[in-house]
Amino acid sequence: MLKGFRDFILRGNVVDLAVAVIIGAAFTGIVGSLVTDIINPLIAATVGQPDFSHVIVYVHGGKVMVGNFLDRLISFLIIATVVYFGLVLPINSLLNRFKKPAPETPPATRPCPECLSEIPIAAKRCAHCGQPVPLMPAT
């Protein structure tokens, strides 16, 4: 039982996931600081106060903190935008440079010279019109 647990823990994808969680937690601080210390002040400089926490809706004596939700939503959208344009897009373009183009697959069919219907490359006789078809030369 312990051998199975050890094999599970030492599998590559589990270790990769653990590293990703740790790096993600560290990166959260960086992105959070970017949003709080740089982007929100820039928004405040252009459109006014970026803090919506004062927006409260009272429903039957209870407080609905709509402003806090808006703050979190805006932060999420800013973080998602920064992560996409700052990480995902550059990494994908870098990985695309190293990808080898997929080899072009040869066609599986060809037209019959008599009836012009599609027939398999290796066919000796057309299945539609019954005429003998010359074999394609090997390429």
Side-chain angles (χ1 to χ4, degrees):
M1 184 167 84
L2 291 177
K3 182 183 180 301
F5 180 72
R6 182 194 66 188
D7 292 343
F8 170 72
I9 293 298
L10 295 179
R11 250 193 265 169
N13 54 359
V14 172
V15 174
D16 291 345
L17 181 61
V19 169
V21 167
I22 292 168
I23 295 296
F27 188 69
T28 299
I30 294 170
V31 174
S33 175
L34 175 70
V35 170
T36 304
D37 301 331
I38 296 174
I39 294 177
N40 279 349
L42 289 174
I43 292 172
T46 47
V47 296
Q49 184 71 14
D51 182 22
F52 296 108
S53 63
H54 62 277
V55 178
I56 300 171
V57 176
Y58 293 96
V59 178
H60 296 295
K63 291 196 297 187
V64 178
M65 308 294 275
V66 175
N68 287 342
F69 174 74
L70 290 175
D71 283 340
R72 304 274 189 223
L73 180 66
I74 290 170
S75 291
F76 170 76
L77 292 174
I78 291 171
I79 289 170
T81 303
V82 168
V83 167
Y84 180 74
F85 288 108
L87 287 174
V88 174
L89 207 58
I91 288 173
N92 284 345
S93 65
L94 180 68
L95 291 177
N96 286 337
R97 287 184 184 179
F98 295 114
K99 274 188 184 174
K100 295 179 182 173
E104 196 171 305
T105 58
T109 61
R110 61 185 170 134
C112 170
E114 292 293 322
C115 67
L116 300 178
S117 61
E118 290 294 315
I119 59 171
I121 291 287
K124 296 180 183 177
R125 189 172 291 275
C126 178
H128 302 282
C129 66
Q131 293 295 319
V133 180
L135 288 176
M136 291 290 294
T139 55

